[in-house]
């Protein structure tokens, strides 16, 4: 599979894992802070196992700026699903407006300037 497709797939996987590392403990407010930190840190290791290869494989096919913007948009998409399904929150129109702004950032960063 080419870096063109593998990079975003790995970034989606890494964002799913990292979302659970950063926000999964919110469903366990009785955990002591150190437990939440240690569990989150342990989960984050696996996120790095996906994010580092995604960026190393993708760099060259994509610029560093394109990789970062792509990662941010993927993060918001993953978090939207997570916040609704896992945290039970609702998405408001402001979330979609913010997402639209980031999608426009993707459009701008991928416009060739050469």
């Amino acid at each position: 599979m080419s870096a063109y497709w593998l990079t975003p797939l790995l970034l989606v996987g890494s964002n799913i894992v990292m979302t659970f590392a950063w926000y999964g403990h919110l469903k366990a407010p009785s955990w002591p802070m150190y437990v939440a930190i240690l569990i989150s840190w342990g989960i984050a290791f696996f996120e790095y196992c996906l994010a580092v290869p995604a960026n190393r494989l993708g760099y060259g096919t994509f610029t560093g700026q394109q990789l970062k913007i792509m990662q941010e948009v993927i993060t918001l998409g993953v978090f939207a699903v997570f916040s609704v399904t896992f945290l039970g929150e609702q998405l408001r129109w402001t979330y979609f407006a913010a997402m639209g702004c980031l999608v426009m950032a993707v459009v701008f960063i991928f416009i060739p300037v050469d």
Side-chain angles (χ1 to χ4, degrees), residues 4-110:
Y4 185 80
W5 294 106
L6 190 56
T7 298
L9 288 175
L10 287 169
L11 288 174
V12 167
S14 76
N15 273 279
I16 290 169
V17 173
M18 197 58 160
T19 298
F20 277 96
W22 281 0
Y23 301 101
H25 61 86
L26 297 178
K27 293 290 270 189
S30 63
W31 289 357
M33 187 65 72
Y34 77 92
V35 171
I37 290 169
L38 289 174
I39 290 172
S40 294
W41 182 79
I43 294 170
F45 168 78
F46 297 101
E47 184 271 341
Y48 276 79
C49 290
L50 296 171
V52 171
N55 288 309
R56 290 197 70 161
L57 291 170
Y59 190 65
T61 300
F62 304 103
T63 66
Q65 295 168 7
Q66 289 172 331
L67 286 169
K68 182 59 181 171
I69 293 293
M70 185 186 323
Q71 185 270 331
E72 293 299 335
V73 170
I74 290 169
T75 296
L76 275 184
V78 166
F79 190 77
V81 172
F82 177 86
S83 68
V84 170
T85 60
F86 190 76
L87 297 177
E89 298 177 352
Q90 293 184 337
L91 296 179
R92 301 181 322 219
W93 73 268
T94 55
Y95 188 91
F96 292 105
M99 182 58 123
C101 291
L102 280 177
V103 168
M104 289 308 300
V106 170
V107 170
F108 287 127
I109 202 71
F110 279 92

